[in-house]
Amino acid sequence: MASAAIFSSLRRQRSPSVEAFLAPVDLTDVGLLQTLTGLSSELISVFSGKRLPFYQRKNCKSLLRKIQVFSVLLECLLHNNNRSSRSGGSSDLPFTAFLCFKELYLLLYRSKILLDYCSHSSKLWLLLQNHSISGHFHDLNQEISTLLDVFPLKELTLPEDVREQVELLKKQARKSKLFVDKHDEMLRLKLFSFLNEFENGGVPDSAQLYSYFVEKLGVCNPRSCRVEIEFLEEQIVNHEGDIEPTASVLNGFVALVRYCRFLLFVFEEDDMELRFGKHKKPRKGLISQEIADTVISVPKDFCCPISLDLMRDPVIVATGQTYDRASISRWMEEGHCTCPKTGQLLDHTRLVPNRALRNLIMQWCAAHKIPFDPLESGDPCVEIFAAASPSKAALEANKATTALLITQLENGTQIAKTIAAREIRLLAKTGKENRAYIAEAGAIPHLKNLLSSPDAVAQENSVTAMLNLSIFDKNKGRIMDEVGCLGLIVEVLRFGHTTEARENAAATLFSLSAVHDYKKQIAKEAWAVEALAGLLREGSPRGKKDAVTALFNLSTHTENCARMIESGAVTALVGALGSEGVDEEAAGALALIVRQPIGATAVGNEEMAVAGLIGMMRCGTPRGKENAVAALLELCRGGGAAATERVLKAPALASLLQTLLFTGTKRARRKAASLARVFQRCEHASMHYGGLGVGYAFAGNSAAARDSTFAGDVSVSMSISVPVL
């Protein structure tokens, strides 16, 4: 049987059908011969002539010639069997021949898989796998030789010329050796030499690149470059550790082809199919979502609130929040002494490993075949879907490509600028190195100019590129320091030409607001908070999610409370309490806002605020219930007698608090008990809530109640715990 490596390395191919592994068991002699004849004829007709693969042509031709001999043999035997049946004679094959033909059935199917793989693989991939694929052809030749050695040719009645062809094939198969095309091998080595030039800090000669890609490989337009890039990217995603070249090297070749695409073909018109909404459907198995869409694929609790990347080493800080160790360490090293999510002062700087969450992340990564390698040095910008860290060659090639793109952003036509913005958007999608050097090369000012473009695609690509760049911490400062950039992002949020542009503008504001010092600056920008509130009220599900997370982040800055109120954000957050997918963050933001007297007053004046929070306590998620009861508690403390009375008279609150005290999370139980204490001090509280304290020892004051759980009076320091994108 053929080497299993044929199927382990041909990863792009869909899973082989069962025929590749199991011979038929219910066919008669004639049925088996008919099946084999049809299969061999199909292979010859499909893969002959111009349909042969671009590379491995000699190996393909050699295999097809062998199949052609088998086809002649099968047709002759089928003819003999049919003639014997008509004359009343026996048509049975010798038993050994029948077994050999079953083995031939498997060989033909595996030949079909290998030939089909070569026909559908990209040119560069076939070159890179030159030795491996040649080895698969040699394995099939060896199996054909073994099959012919045991084939009972003498027991079959055959014409002399057919017998001679089979005998000759048998001799040739015995002598067959591994064949690696020297011309293909030279092209493969030349491809590596281009990569080595980038590795050594140089740039390959443009004339040589043109000769190689256009004249020798036939990659002669942007479309064919895209095909090569997409195929190589898919191999990176599906890469197995024992397959050469490594994923890191493949990343280098992707960068090389991308550079050639813009160096050799500049910005040709055929690249503009994306300008008119014809977005390419992602290839199956190729993970290629934008940074802004990452939350759809990766559980949000697994992402670090600072870097937005998958956490590799989650740790808990003094406020109870979890961050990736590298991100929070950098935050502290920069002199910050507050929690990035809540804005609370950190009592200490100890970082406690969150082993439970880390195990969950590892299990999720294993289930989705995503590499999980904790970094010793702690890189906060670890990519969620990266199969390998970028090589120096890939970085240098991408830098060269970036220089070409920025030149077009600066001096190109409107079409060229649109394409350049799209490519920068894609380059900035992965890798902190990419984000760093794109910004260092001066892309941000040119992208800023496209934010006000009348071209919808140009605007969408530029704001999404800005979003992707903002993931890198240093770029946040570059964007905020660029004169007029923040205002233009807000303009896209308000009046963007496409829904995606508006949503990504909101996501950009959220990303920028991860830096505490920028939260106040963003809130003070004219119409910024109003636009976020509007998107929360009327946007798509994803738009509402982007808006509510941005508003939550802004609400963590105590000086933004008045701005949130006057802009209508509080009203929008109250309205979002009934919207699935955004209610948790809305309740969390309200819980922060009501901590201030003016915030408590504003929320208390919202007619539907208490009802919405009560509804979350009844039907929300565990975290949503936490946030809802926390908001109600703070509303009673700071909203005055009217707000307290409104909460007190809320229907079913007693039973909901009772349920939370028994079934809620630790934080929910703590907040519910504190709220019960507030009611006990209120007039008529005993009438409404007399039974809440049964079996629990309430603390003697509200401060103690805030810090107490009620299973053994264990004291736990907790804080608002709201997930962000």
Side-chain angles (χ1 to χ4, degrees):
M1 295 181 67
S3 169
I6 290 179
F7 303 107
S8 66
S9 66
L10 307 186
R11 298 183 308 281
R12 180 180 182 272
Q13 185 74 22
R14 291 176 299 177
S15 298
S17 59
V18 69
E19 289 88 347
F21 302 99
L22 299 175
V25 294
D26 56 351
L27 291 180
T28 63
D29 292 357
V30 175
L32 179 59
L33 289 174
Q34 289 174 336
T35 300
L36 291 172
T37 301
L39 180 55
S40 59
S41 298
E42 177 190 353
L43 290 176
I44 294 168
S45 62
V46 169
F47 297 105
S48 60
K50 294 182 179 180
R51 298 180 181 179
L52 279 173
F54 195 84
Y55 293 111
Q56 294 291 339
R57 296 178 73 88
K58 291 185 178 179
N59 277 324
C60 289
K61 286 181 178 179
S62 176
L63 179 59
L64 287 170
R65 282 196 296 268
K66 294 178 176 67
I67 294 174
Q68 198 159 19
V69 173
F70 281 119
S71 179
V72 172
L73 170 64
L74 292 166
E75 289 177 355
C76 183
L77 289 174
L78 185 60
H79 176 73
N80 290 344
N81 271 269
N82 291 336
R83 187 171 58 185
S84 297
S85 298
R86 287 195 298 269
S87 62
S90 174
S91 61
D92 293 338
L93 289 171
F95 181 69
T96 52
F98 186 78
L99 292 179
C100 286
F101 283 135
K102 279 191 171 184
E103 187 65 24
L104 178 61
Y105 178 90
L106 299 177
L107 273 172
L108 291 178
Y109 259 101
R110 288 172 181 156
S111 299
K112 181 179 185 298
I113 291 172
L114 183 55
L115 291 168
D116 190 57
Y117 180 78
C118 291
S119 297
H120 291 90
S121 293
S122 77
K123 296 173 181 178
L124 289 179
W125 180 249
L126 289 177
L127 283 180
L128 295 174
Q129 295 293 307
N130 194 29
H131 282 271
S132 176
I133 297 175
S134 296
H136 295 324
F137 278 103
H138 182 61
D139 289 344
L140 285 174
N141 285 332
Q142 292 294 100
E143 292 193 32
I144 290 173
S145 176
T146 302
L147 176 64
L148 291 174
D149 282 340
V150 298
F151 187 74
L153 187 61
K154 295 181 180 179
E155 299 180 29
L156 300 175
T157 302
L158 295 169
E160 192 61 30
D161 59 335
V162 175
R163 189 180 299 275
E164 288 177 356
Q165 289 184 54
V166 176
E167 290 284 0
L168 181 60
L169 176 59
K170 181 178 179 180
K171 292 178 182 179
Q172 291 175 341
R174 283 179 178 175
K175 296 178 181 180
S176 66
K177 297 180 181 180
L178 173 67
F179 175 77
V180 179
D181 192 291
K182 293 182 179 179
H183 178 262
D184 292 356
E185 184 62 13
M186 288 177 61
L187 290 176
R188 187 182 74 87
L189 295 176
K190 185 63 176 176
L191 186 61
F192 275 93
S193 73
F194 291 137
L195 205 61
N196 288 337
E197 287 192 58
F198 278 120
E199 188 77 28
N200 296 327
V203 178
D205 179 71
S206 58
Q208 290 189 28
L209 289 173
Y210 182 88
S211 174
Y212 183 84
F213 279 91
V214 178
E215 297 174 359
K216 296 178 180 178
L217 265 62
V219 179
C220 51
N221 54 55
R223 186 185 300 275
S224 56
C225 282
R226 281 201 301 273
V227 170
E228 296 291 332
I229 290 172
E230 291 162 10
F231 194 96
L232 292 178
E233 285 179 335
E234 190 167 345
Q235 305 316 306
I236 294 172
V237 171
N238 298 326
H239 198 273
E240 297 175 5
D242 59 344
I243 301 298
E244 293 293 338
T246 65
S248 179
V249 174
L250 288 177
N251 273 321
F253 286 121
V254 169
L256 170 63
V257 179
R258 185 179 290 114
Y259 171 69
C260 292
R261 171 182 175 181
F262 293 105
L263 175 72
L264 303 180
F265 311 118
V266 197
F267 297 83
E268 295 183 6
E269 288 292 335
D270 112 310
D271 233 338
M272 288 313 296
E273 61 182 26
L274 296 181
R275 297 191 71 242
F276 304 102
K278 299 179 181 178
H279 291 278
K280 175 181 64 64
K281 185 179 180 180
R283 299 174 70 91
K284 184 177 181 181
L286 177 60
I287 302 173
S288 59
Q289 293 186 335
E290 300 291 346
I291 292 298
D293 293 332
T294 297
V295 294
I296 299 174
S297 297
V298 182
K300 55 190 175 184
D301 290 339
F302 293 175
C303 296
C304 176
I306 298 175
S307 68
L308 306 184
D309 288 330
L310 188 71
M311 288 187 282
R312 303 303 173 115
D313 188 9
V315 293
I316 304 171
V317 299
T319 60
Q321 302 299 320
T322 296
Y323 302 92
D324 197 33
R325 182 185 295 275
S327 298
I328 193 63
S329 296
R330 178 183 296 181
W331 172 267
M332 292 177 176
E333 289 169 1
E334 291 175 350
H336 299 289
C337 55
T338 58
C339 174
K341 281 177 66 174
T342 67
Q344 291 177 302
L345 287 174
L346 297 173
D347 294 335
H348 57 77
T349 58
R350 292 193 301 275
L351 302 178
V352 180
N354 191 336
R355 294 187 175 88
L357 179 59
R358 184 175 181 274
N359 289 335
L360 289 174
I361 294 173
M362 291 176 64
Q363 293 172 18
W364 182 85
C365 288
H368 291 79
K369 298 181 180 180
I370 296 173
F372 182 87
D373 298 313
L375 300 182
E376 296 180 2
S377 59
D379 186 342
C381 290
V382 175
E383 292 311 307
I384 294 173
F385 298 119
S389 58
S391 63
K392 181 181 178 182
L395 290 175
E396 294 299 324
N398 283 334
K399 286 181 180 180
T401 303
T402 299
L404 295 174
L405 296 174
I406 291 179
T407 298
Q408 293 299 320
L409 279 178
E410 185 175 7
N411 302 315
T413 64
Q414 183 58 46
I415 290 177
K417 289 180 179 180
T418 301
I419 298 173
R422 184 195 67 204
E423 292 304 316
I424 287 178
R425 164 187 180 171
L426 297 176
L427 274 177
K429 187 171 59 177
T430 58
K432 73 168 188 177
E433 295 87 356
N434 287 6
R435 295 170 191 147
Y437 66 67
I438 288 172
E440 290 168 359
I444 290 175
H446 301 300
L447 291 172
K448 180 198 75 172
N449 294 334
L450 285 180
L451 291 174
S452 56
S453 172
D455 186 295
V457 177
Q459 183 189 70
E460 181 181 309
N461 283 323
S462 61
V463 74
T464 309
M466 202 75 77
L467 165 63
N468 294 345
L469 290 173
S470 72
I471 302 301
F472 184 52
D473 286 347
K474 291 184 178 179
N475 288 346
K476 290 179 171 64
R478 291 188 175 106
I479 293 172
M480 294 296 290
D481 293 340
E482 181 65 30
V483 177
C485 191
L486 179 59
L488 287 172
I489 292 172
V490 173
E491 285 299 299
V492 175
L493 172 60
R494 297 177 66 198
F495 307 116
H497 300 308
T498 66
T499 300
E500 184 176 355
R502 294 190 292 273
E503 292 170 348
N504 288 348
T508 304
L509 293 181
F510 166 66
S511 176
L512 295 172
S513 64
V515 178
H516 186 73
D517 293 343
Y518 297 153
K519 294 176 182 179
K520 184 177 179 181
Q521 186 177 343
I522 293 171
K524 290 176 64 177
E525 183 68 33
W527 300 105
V529 182
E530 287 88 345
L532 289 171
L535 187 62
L536 178 56
R537 286 191 297 267
E538 302 173 359
S540 66
R542 184 196 149 191
K544 290 182 178 181
K545 188 73 172 177
D546 292 329
V548 76
T549 49
L551 288 171
F552 170 79
N553 230 20
L554 295 178
S555 67
T556 61
H557 196 298
T558 56
E559 296 183 32
N560 287 343
C561 185
R563 184 77 181 91
M564 300 284 283
I565 295 169
E566 69 182 28
S567 66
V570 170
T571 302
L573 289 168
V574 170
L577 292 174
S579 298
E580 185 178 358
V582 297
D583 47 2
E584 281 185 18
E585 289 84 353
L590 290 172
L592 292 171
I593 291 171
V594 296
R595 288 181 175 182
Q596 299 186 53
I598 59 171
T601 301
V603 174
N605 291 334
E606 292 290 334
E607 185 176 350
M608 298 304 297
V610 173
L613 292 169
I614 292 293
M616 280 203 65
M617 286 181 62
R618 180 183 296 109
C619 304
T621 63
R623 184 163 292 172
K625 292 177 181 179
E626 288 180 9
N627 294 335
V629 71
L632 289 171
L633 175 61
E634 297 297 337
L635 184 59
C636 289
R637 288 174 176 164
T644 303
E645 183 178 3
R646 185 179 299 179
V647 174
L648 178 66
K649 293 182 178 180
L653 182 59
S655 61
L656 291 173
L657 284 174
Q658 187 88 41
T659 301
L660 277 183
L661 284 169
F662 284 98
T663 64
T665 63
K666 286 184 179 180
R667 177 172 174 268
R669 295 201 305 270
R670 176 163 53 87
K671 296 296 182 181
S674 297
L675 185 54
R677 294 287 301 178
V678 173
F679 293 148
Q680 285 181 344
R681 294 196 300 269
C682 292
E683 186 179 1
H684 307 304
S686 59
M687 181 194 313
H688 295 287
Y689 300 99
L692 278 177
V694 177
Y696 290 90
F698 291 109
N701 56 66
S702 60
R706 285 197 301 271
D707 295 328
S708 176
T709 59
F710 301 93
D713 288 328
V714 180
S715 198
V716 180
S717 176
M718 301 290 286
S719 66
I720 298 294
S721 179
V722 181
V724 294
L725 293 176

